[in-house]
């Protein structure tokens, strides 16, 4: 027979363990949905897709019986957000997206079909850097950013670069570099990084601005050369590549991937998803796999992500107004 004292000690132990971080103490329990999906606005095969699939694997049987990745490429990632907006707000549909779609697009697309109220921040997913890469479409002698700028100045018909989408952060970095270098460059928008990388490796375009994780394998194999990084410091994944700041251009930007629910999701639904993502993103396999794609995998609270998004939007609103950048730039 359990004595009153033993029962009291047992109850205190359970309560202490719960508040130490057990998920069931932080969010109300609810039956697991049969199927949940993680929506992305870009094709399979890129860095965003890689993160989504590893996270989905780790949320399976914990957040839902099955967690699938639903690629909805198009309009520079906008289709993914529209798909989330029109999904049930019961937690069965999540979106993982680059910050550009929410911090830059509202100021570069005059007729955007969604608003910030259409999404509810849940958790940060990863931090990443963008870089400028050149491939077979440029001479082997182009080894530095200075080489590249001199080459396109001498060959204006080749002064073009691709990006994962019109109005995206890589697109804007390309436009700003063009302005700083006083060199016209034609922008070519793709439906994500994967088709742009195919054209870069095939020599159809000379250069591409995009996530450095998509370059790592090809750079090691000598199929392309990364000339500059847009971040505030050199990337640990490409430590030999200088930043734009090092090269004399006053620009330092990094981007993040974040997870969102439909805007009408309840606080309890957001908390449940945030708890599940925190556990999934802390798994060593997810962290190590992210490094293969140039990603620093990390989670956050919903409030922290909302604060990051607000700060980014304020920064880009001013810069976009100052430069006159648009999705058609």
């Amino acid at each position: 027979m359990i004595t009153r004292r033993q029962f009291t000690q047992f109850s205190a132990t359970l309560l202490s363990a719960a508040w130490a971080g057990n998920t069931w103490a932080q969010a109300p329990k609810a039956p697991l949905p049969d199927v949940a999906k993680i929506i992305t606005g870009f094709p399979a095969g890129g860095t965003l897709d890689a993160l989504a699939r590893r996270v989905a694997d780790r949320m399976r049987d914990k957040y839902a019986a099955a967690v699938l990745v639903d690629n909805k490429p198009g309009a520079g990632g906008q289709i993914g957000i529209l798909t989330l907006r029109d999904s049930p707000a019961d937690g069965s549909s999540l979106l993982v997206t680059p910050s550009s779609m929410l911090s830059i697009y509202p100021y570069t697309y005059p007729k955007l079909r969604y608003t910030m109220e259409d999404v509810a921040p849940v958790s940060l997913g990863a931090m990443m850097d963008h870089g400028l890469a050149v491939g077979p479409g440029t001479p082997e002698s182009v080894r530095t950013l200075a080489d590249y700028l001199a080459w396109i100045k001498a060959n204006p018909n080749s002064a073009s670069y691709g990006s994962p989408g019109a109005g995206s952060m890589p697109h804007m970095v390309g436009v700003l570099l063009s302005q700083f270098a006083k060199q016209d460059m034609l922008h070519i928008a793709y439906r994500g990084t994967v088709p742009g990388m195919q054209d870069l490796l095939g020599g159809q375009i000379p250069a591409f601005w995009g996530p450095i994780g998509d370059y790592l394998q090809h750079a090691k194999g000598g199929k392309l050369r990364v000339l500059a990084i847009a971040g505030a410091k050199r990337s640990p994944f490409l430590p030999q590549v200088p930043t734009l700041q090092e090269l004399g251009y006053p620009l330092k930007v990094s981007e993040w991937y974040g997870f969102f629910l439909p805007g009408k999701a309840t606080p309890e639904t957001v908390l449940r998803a945030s708890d599940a993502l925190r556990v999934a993103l802390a798994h060593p396999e997810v962290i190590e796999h992210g490094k293969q794609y140039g990603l620093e995998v990390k989670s956050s609270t919903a409030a922290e992500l909302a604060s990051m998004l607000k700060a980014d939007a304020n920064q880009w609103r001013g810069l976009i107004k100052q430069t006159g950048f648009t999705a058609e730039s």
Side-chain angles (χ1 to χ4, degrees):
M1 177 181 295
I2 300 177
T3 67
R4 179 182 296 275
R5 181 179 180 183
Q6 289 172 324
F7 177 79
T8 301
Q9 291 175 334
F10 179 70
S11 300
T13 300
L14 283 180
L15 184 61
S16 175
W19 285 106
N22 285 345
T23 299
W24 62 266
Q26 299 175 33
K29 269 194 170 182
L32 291 178
D34 290 334
V35 179
K37 61 183 178 180
I38 298 177
I39 301 163
T40 82
F42 297 91
T47 58
L48 185 64
D49 180 71
L51 176 66
R53 292 183 187 280
R54 288 293 173 172
V55 169
D57 288 343
R58 289 298 156 190
M59 293 178 72
R60 191 169 294 121
D61 293 328
K62 299 177 182 67
Y63 184 73
V67 183
L68 310 175
V69 174
D70 188 10
N71 299 94
K72 295 289 186 181
Q78 295 181 53
I79 302 301
I81 296 180
L82 294 173
T83 302
L84 179 78
R85 182 197 65 186
D86 298 336
S87 298
D90 58 1
S92 60
S93 294
L94 286 151
L95 169 79
V96 60
T97 183
S99 58
S100 300
M101 278 82 260
L102 297 165
S103 63
I104 295 181
Y105 282 18
Y107 312 113
T108 58
Y109 280 89
K111 296 181 180 180
L112 203 62
R113 293 166 55 196
Y114 58 82
T115 68
M116 299 288 276
E117 287 69 37
D118 290 327
V119 300
V122 177
S123 173
L124 180 67
M127 301 294 299
M128 64 174 176
D129 284 310
H130 293 298
L132 175 66
V134 296
T138 60
E140 282 290 328
S141 58
V142 174
R143 293 283 168 175
T144 67
L145 182 60
D147 292 340
Y148 172 70
L149 292 174
W151 178 70
I152 60 174
K153 184 176 182 179
N155 300 273
N157 291 337
S158 297
S160 62
Y161 68 94
S163 86
S168 64
M169 191 175 294
H171 176 198
M172 185 165 187
V173 172
V175 168
L176 290 173
L177 176 61
S178 174
Q179 292 181 357
F180 294 145
K182 296 181 172 56
Q183 172 64 56
D184 290 337
M185 302 180 197
L186 175 66
H187 172 247
I188 303 170
Y190 284 87
R191 290 165 59 93
T193 303
V194 174
M197 286 294 296
Q198 290 171 347
D199 279 1
L200 178 66
L201 292 168
Q204 281 78 36
I205 57 172
F208 192 85
W209 270 107
I212 64 169
D214 290 306
Y215 302 151
L216 296 180
Q217 176 186 354
H218 305 298
K220 290 177 182 177
K223 295 181 179 179
L224 54 77
R225 304 174 300 283
V226 186
L227 306 183
I229 299 292
K233 59 184 180 180
R234 293 196 181 200
S235 167
F237 305 110
L238 288 171
Q240 75 281 10
V241 179
T243 66
L244 287 175
Q245 271 202 317
E246 287 180 76
L247 299 172
Y249 300 98
L251 184 63
K252 52 178 182 178
V253 294
S254 296
E255 193 161 20
W256 46 261
Y257 291 146
F259 287 87
F260 296 83
L261 283 168
K264 293 182 180 180
T266 65
E268 292 79 14
T269 302
V270 171
L271 185 56
R272 189 178 304 119
S274 180
D275 285 343
L277 284 165
R278 185 186 68 250
V279 174
L281 291 164
H283 195 281
E285 181 182 295
V286 177
I287 293 172
E288 288 304 311
H289 190 71
K291 291 178 181 178
Q292 298 176 31
Y293 287 86
L295 300 176
E296 182 188 356
V297 175
K298 57 169 61 177
S299 64
S300 75
T301 65
E304 288 168 341
L305 182 61
S307 180
M308 289 177 64
L309 182 56
K310 182 178 180 180
D312 281 4
N314 287 337
Q315 173 192 359
W316 287 112
R317 180 173 62 239
L319 190 55
I320 290 166
K321 184 177 181 180
Q322 176 185 340
T323 61
F325 173 75
T326 70
E328 287 74 39
S329 295

